[in-house]
Amino acid sequence: MHEYPITLRIVEIANQQAEGAGARVSGIDLVVGDDSGFIGESIQMYFDIIAEGTPCEGAALSIERVRPQLKCAACGTYFVRKPFSFTCPQCGGDGYPTEIGKEFYVKSVELTTEG
């Protein structure tokens, strides 16, 4: 349920850009990390409801998923962790968590003007 307020904010941001340009929103690109705490499918569901009657209605919502990565303490390689393992695939060293996969932001808003 916590996707509702964040989706409302996404629509508000896009609507502000559209209204400032006298346009409609034709697409929104989001970046959502798997460890961000947000679920892309829920955002999509809420988006379709919240966008009704706004410049965002009918816009395509594209969600770019970012998988979490670890960084090897020994060789510095970034890698996606395998289940039950923190072992670096390059050197066998131990990996530690990074900020990769925690992203959540509006990457772009595509506007269409009529005329």
Side-chain angles (χ1 to χ4, degrees), residues 41-104:
E41 292 82 13
S42 294
I43 294 169
Q44 179 68 61
M45 178 191 69
Y46 287 127
F47 179 80
D48 293 338
I49 295 166
I50 295 168
E52 285 184 33
T54 75
C56 286
E57 185 172 5
L61 182 64
S62 171
I63 300 173
E64 179 183 330
R65 176 182 171 208
V66 179
R67 296 184 66 198
Q69 292 187 24
L70 300 177
K71 184 176 182 181
C72 179
C75 72
T77 298
Y78 287 89
F79 62 96
V80 175
R81 183 175 79 88
K82 292 185 178 176
F84 311 109
S85 173
F86 289 85
T87 304
C88 173
Q90 295 293 328
C91 73
D94 290 331
Y96 59 90
T98 67
E99 294 298 308
I100 298 171
K102 295 180 183 178
E103 300 86 350
F104 184 84

Side-chain angles (χ1 to χ4, degrees), residues 12-36:
E12 288 171 355
I13 290 167
N15 284 338
Q16 288 171 353
Q17 289 188 12
E19 290 167 359
R24 293 197 56 76
V25 177
S26 56
I28 300 172
D29 295 320
L30 296 179
V31 175
V32 180
D34 287 355
D35 286 349
S36 69

